[in-house]
Amino acid sequence: MWGIWSRTVVKVGMAKPCSFVKPCHLVKPVSATRISGRYLTHQKGLPSLPVPPLQQTCERYIAALEPIVETEELKYTKKLVDEFQKAGGDGERLQRALEKRASNTENWLSDWWVQVAYLDYRLPVVVHSSPGLVLPRMNFTDKQGQIRFAAKLIAGVLDFKMMIDNETLPVEFMGGKPLCMNQYYQVLSSCRIPGLKRDSIVNHSRSSSSPKHITVVHNCQFFVLDVYNSDGTLLSVDQLCVQLEHICNSSQQNNSEPVGILTTSDRDTWGRTYQSLIKDKINKDSVSAIQRSIFTLCLDGAMPQVSGDVHRSRSAVQMLHGGGSQWNSANRWFDKTLQFIIGEDGTCGANYEHAPAEGPPIVALIDHVVEYTRRIELGKTPVKSSSMPQKLHFKITPEIKRDIEEAKHKMDILAQDLDMRVVVFEEFGKNVPKTYKMSPDAFIQVALQLAFYRMYQHSCATYESASLRMFRLGRTDTIRSASRASGEFVKVFDNPSKQNTEKVELLEKAVQAHRWYTNMAISGQAIDRHLLGLKMLALEQQITVPPIFTDKSYSKALHYRLSTSQVPSKTDCVMCFGPVVTNGYGVCYNPMDDHINFAVSSFNTCKETDAAAFAQTVKGALLDMRTLLEETPKARL
Ligand code: COA
Ligand code: HC5
């Protein structure tokens, strides 16, 4: 299996030249019709994503390969790279074409990226692409509490939506530079649609009749809930409570076909089923109501009681895939860009379909919602009557019934395979690295490198997400955390014959190397998206794909056994995702001031990996690195 972040590799022969004609099916750039003034002025002021110099990328590519390929492989790749970048070679030609594309587009990368990383990707979005987000356990333990919290949550999301609609969202900054805000306009009222070979995204937020409803799913049954009164005002929290109670009361029996499970299938299979499903007018209207809705709210059924770390890990599983067909996997519509998930025992979080946006805008929305739910009180306003929620009906043919059974079966295999461990590292957070004048993120990444080396005695290709939102319509590039400096550090760290002063020096160098790579990535000078762009052009122009892209080193460089991401938040939550290769780990972390939340995933069918063991080894690495700094006086200077 190729994870999304590996599949941009090698399979050159299989990849078809993409004809990115009119990307009407892509995330629509913000249109000038409704979004205006402040937002557009801000967006226009942002710089365009640069195309890095070819020679720079070639040099940095070779440097990045050093810790992860064999000496002989590196020698061979150096020759290919020299050939690629020589005057009059493939590289020069492709580079010129890429520069031309950059001058003719708002962002030379973003449409390609959405296509390659998401819409062309055919594995299920569940586990393989859509992340989960786990909020701290909330203070309720029964159905009544679940409904009351859900009502507040809906009100909180609509409060945030108002800021999006009025363009009053504060512009975000990174390192003093303003960020692209486009992703905020893509997360509500949008949905992924399965295709036969390629998916698409619809976004209804700026259509002339923008949606006024959400979808609620309970006991695998879907309902349309209008969240605006006929006079255009929002339903109050009390009104929402009444509506949710009505939904729950009218779906107590689990007697409908669990049609939502179809969205867990691989995309080609779901694409085929989708075609036959929407042939029926009733089904088409029901599916359209889900797709158009502002977001989906999943009210989950009760789960067996567990506590502590086990509860956190179980919640992460609920957010990521719902626990399997007998639990809540069918109580979802995984194509929906944003799904809030609320259990009966205080479990609460979200799942989001990744194509339209990165984690940070989702987290900002959720931070706002959590804050809102803490402020708002119930039972203060008289309950006005509002229109009744509408149940969505589906007509299920024997063929679709068969597809549902197959989807259940495959989802259950996937659920069995995923090992997810949420751990809280309680000893310290950003505070300790800061004391030693080190970047906390770089410190954590070096600890991940040390942990991997301790378990496997070598380094692996490592991916960390870097934001490109300093540029207009920017998405992400890759920070390659395995560097020459990290390699030198991890090799020496457990060697008792080495002095602590040398170890500290190597640690400092490794941390600095990581921070250097981060700065280069967020300023649009990293290598991965540039190489992808050059390869995409070769495919588009139907010229022979240059050998550097069919080279073994390139596939090794993209086989990320460590796929990682830092997603910070105000709320003490943790984000999670699956590994991107069969023998890899997915590691998402949220560094708070005095602790760090980690979610580590791996596949049970892989005998080499073990999420719990890796999480434990990361904890050990962080502690040992701090001890080294504490015991080595030089470090305090
Ligand atoms: N000494 C003291 N303090 C330092 C320091 C140093 N040498 N270097 C950094 N710090 C401080 C920073 O000022 C910052 O302070 P704050 O806690 O007050 O904000 C804090 O430490 C964190 O900085 P750092 O750990 O270096 O990370 P970062 O915030 O710069 O983040 C990335 C690094 C790569 C995560 C970030 O650039 C990025 O791209 N984020 C987006 C990732 C993303 O999109 N993920 C989701 C993908 S879906
Ligand atoms: C709720 C936020 C979860 C983070 C999701 C994330 O980091 O996605 C990465 C996106 C990117 O473009 O780097 C991909 N990754 C999960 C494979 C790291």
Side-chain angles (χ1 to χ4, degrees):
M1 175 230 326
W2 292 96
I4 21 180
W5 275 260
S6 296
R7 71 186 286 285
T8 51
V9 211
V10 273
K11 296 193 163 177
V12 168
M14 290 174 65
K16 44 207 174 312
C18 297
S19 50
F20 295 99
V21 221
K22 174 69 197 132
C24 56
H25 50 290
L26 286 181
V27 183
K28 288 211 178 65
V30 171
S31 95
T33 48
R34 293 222 12 226
I35 307 289
S36 57
R38 245 176 316 196
Y39 172 80
L40 276 187
T41 314
H42 165 70
Q43 289 295 112
K44 277 193 183 140
L46 294 169
S48 306
L49 181 68
V51 177
L54 182 63
Q55 197 191 341
Q56 173 184 297
T57 293
C58 289
E59 280 165 12
R60 290 177 179 178
Y61 175 49
I62 294 297
L65 289 178
E66 213 180 286
I68 54 171
V69 303
E70 305 297 331
T71 317
E72 281 309 304
E73 287 169 346
L74 189 61
K75 235 162 107 185
Y76 178 71
T77 304
K78 272 183 185 156
K79 272 199 211 138
L80 295 184
V81 169
D82 285 344
E83 189 64 21
F84 180 68
Q85 65 170 327
K86 75 175 187 208
D90 286 341
E92 207 175 64
R93 204 150 26 93
L94 293 170
Q95 175 77 0
R96 268 202 303 273
L98 194 57
E99 284 164 356
K100 189 163 164 222
R101 179 182 163 94
S103 62
N104 292 332
T105 47
E106 268 207 278
N107 182 313
W108 62 263
L109 172 67
S110 47
D111 285 350
W112 270 344
W113 180 246
V114 173
Q115 208 72 69
V116 175
Y118 299 106
L119 304 181
D120 283 348
Y121 186 58
R122 308 319 284 159
L123 284 185
V125 289
V126 177
V127 174
H128 300 292
S129 179
S130 299
L133 183 146
V134 189
L135 284 168
R137 195 169 183 171
M138 297 294 165
N139 194 17
F140 59 84
T141 49
D142 60 10
K143 193 91 210 159
Q144 199 55 35
Q146 179 187 28
I147 289 176
R148 291 161 75 89
F149 182 79
K152 292 186 198 174
L153 181 140
I154 298 171
V157 182
L158 296 174
D159 191 59
F160 194 85
K161 182 176 184 297
M162 221 137 63
M163 287 198 284
I164 297 178
D165 293 346
N166 303 339
E167 296 178 45
T168 49
L169 264 183
V171 170
E172 292 171 329
F173 287 81
M174 188 164 68
K177 302 246 173 67
L179 298 183
C180 174
M181 298 296 285
N182 176 60
Q183 291 178 27
Y184 281 97
Y185 295 87
Q186 311 300 342
V187 295
L188 296 176
S189 313
S190 72
C191 195
R192 181 163 169 158
I193 299 178
L196 294 177
K197 288 198 173 129
R198 168 183 290 178
D199 291 1
S200 54
I201 300 170
V202 280
N203 183 335
H204 295 282
S205 60
R206 285 180 300 286
S207 63
S208 49
S209 56
S210 60
K212 302 278 184 284
H213 68 280
I214 66 167
T215 33
V216 180
V217 47
H218 178 251
N219 254 333
C220 308
Q221 295 157 58
F222 290 83
F223 294 82
V224 162
L225 167 52
D226 286 324
V227 288
Y228 293 85
N229 290 304
S230 51
D231 61 1
T233 56
L234 287 170
L235 258 61
S236 68
V237 176
D238 300 282
Q239 282 176 303
L240 288 166
C241 258
V242 172
Q243 300 294 65
L244 293 174
E245 265 162 21
H246 181 82
I247 288 173
C248 290
N249 290 338
S250 58
S251 51
Q252 278 175 359
Q253 302 296 321
N254 202 341
N255 55 5
S256 299
E257 283 301 335
V259 63
I261 199 78
L262 292 169
T263 63
T264 67
S265 288
D266 67 86
R267 305 307 297 175
D268 285 346
T269 303
W270 172 213
R272 281 193 300 272
T273 308
Y274 181 80
Q275 290 303 323
S276 54
L277 185 74
I278 61 168
K279 273 190 195 132
D280 182 280
K281 171 89 169 58
I282 294 175
N283 295 343
K284 192 174 180 185
D285 290 349
S286 294
V287 167
S288 164
I290 299 173
Q291 291 166 344
R292 290 176 51 81
S293 62
I294 301 169
F295 62 90
T296 294
L297 171 73
C298 311
L299 295 174
D300 277 4
M303 300 287 292
Q305 282 188 10
V306 287
S307 58
D309 267 1
V310 181
H311 184 266
R312 273 190 280 262
S313 297
R314 216 260 315 271
S315 300
V317 160
Q318 288 303 305
M319 302 311 148
L320 205 60
H321 63 62
S325 64
Q326 75 279 32
W327 299 109
N328 293 300
S329 296
N331 205 44
R332 306 275 184 274
W333 193 266
F334 281 104
D335 291 356
K336 193 67 194 157
T337 307
L338 195 47
Q339 301 193 87
F340 289 94
I341 298 162
I342 305 179
E344 282 185 20
D345 63 349
T347 305
C348 180
N351 178 284
Y352 83 92
E353 198 291 298
H354 211 324
E358 256 61 70
I362 309 280
V363 170
L365 187 155
I366 288 176
D367 275 337
H368 179 89
V369 171
V370 170
E371 179 53 32
Y372 188 92
T373 58
R374 284 184 186 141
R375 265 190 287 133
I376 206 79
E377 284 300 323
L378 279 144
K380 297 256 161 82
T381 50
V383 179
K384 286 191 287 183
S385 65
S386 39
S387 63
M388 292 291 263
Q390 295 301 310
K391 182 164 178 176
L392 295 173
H393 295 281
F394 288 94
K395 232 161 100 191
I396 302 298
T397 61
E399 288 73 39
I400 291 168
K401 168 89 181 129
R402 199 195 52 217
D403 292 349
I404 287 176
E405 291 310 314
E406 198 181 307
K408 277 182 178 173
H409 178 65
K410 288 196 185 146
M411 181 63 244
D412 292 344
I413 293 175
L414 184 57
Q416 281 292 317
D417 199 13
L418 187 81
D419 189 7
M420 170 63 71
R421 302 295 161 134
V422 172
V423 293
V424 181
F425 177 73
E426 313 254 17
E427 319 299 325
F428 60 87
K430 289 189 282 187
N431 51 357
V432 164
K434 281 185 187 177
T435 317
Y436 292 99
K437 307 223 173 336
M438 292 179 181
S439 146
D441 184 67
F443 191 86
I444 296 166
Q445 284 288 333
V446 172
L448 294 173
Q449 289 300 306
L450 179 58
F452 191 89
Y453 188 82
R454 281 178 165 177
M455 278 177 73
Y456 301 101
Q457 293 76 53
H458 63 86
S459 298
C460 70
T462 307
Y463 180 110
E464 183 192 3
S465 308
S467 175
L468 286 176
R469 283 177 58 209
M470 280 203 298
F471 304 101
R472 197 179 312 123
L473 303 184
R475 298 293 302 257
T476 61
D477 206 328
T478 311
I479 302 169
R480 290 188 164 270
S481 310
S483 64
R484 176 192 280 181
S486 72
E488 284 172 359
F489 168 68
V490 298
K491 277 186 205 128
V492 163
F493 191 80
D494 289 320
N495 184 342
S497 67
K498 299 284 182 184
Q499 296 292 316
N500 273 2
T501 45
E502 184 186 351
K503 293 181 185 177
V504 169
E505 213 169 283
L506 291 176
L507 171 58
E508 283 172 341
K509 280 192 180 150
V511 166
Q512 277 159 15
H514 190 84
R515 191 61 231 184
W516 173 81
Y517 206 121
T518 300
N519 289 339
M520 154 178 128
I522 61 179
S523 55
Q525 299 296 323
I527 58 176
D528 280 85
R529 303 301 183 264
H530 186 199
L531 288 173
L532 174 71
L534 297 168
K535 190 182 112 181
M536 293 298 288
L537 276 175
L539 289 169
E540 244 186 43
Q541 298 180 352
Q542 296 188 324
I543 62 167
T544 312
V545 171
I548 61 161
F549 298 117
T550 46
D551 179 27
K552 194 170 167 195
S553 294
Y554 192 56
S555 55
K556 276 195 168 180
L558 293 171
H559 187 86
Y560 294 112
R561 290 195 63 193
L562 278 179
S563 166
T564 78
S565 189
Q566 182 202 136
V567 191
S569 64
K570 285 194 202 134
T571 317
D572 191 6
C573 59
V574 66
M575 282 52 84
C576 57
F577 46 76
V580 297
V581 294
T582 45
N583 62 345
Y585 293 101
V587 182
C588 198
Y589 54 95
N590 180 4
M592 310 295 283
D593 283 337
D594 58 3
H595 68 279
I596 310 169
N597 300 331
F598 282 96
V600 179
S601 62
S602 66
F603 289 117
N604 288 316
T605 40
C606 176
K607 295 289 160 254
E608 293 166 73
T609 52
D610 179 338
F614 189 70
Q616 202 50 40
T617 314
V618 171
K619 281 184 169 182
L622 284 165
L623 282 174
D624 293 349
M625 282 163 57
R626 178 179 68 174
T627 306
L628 171 74
L629 291 170
E630 280 173 350
E631 288 177 353
T632 317
K634 173 188 171 290
R636 289 213 195 85
L637 293 178

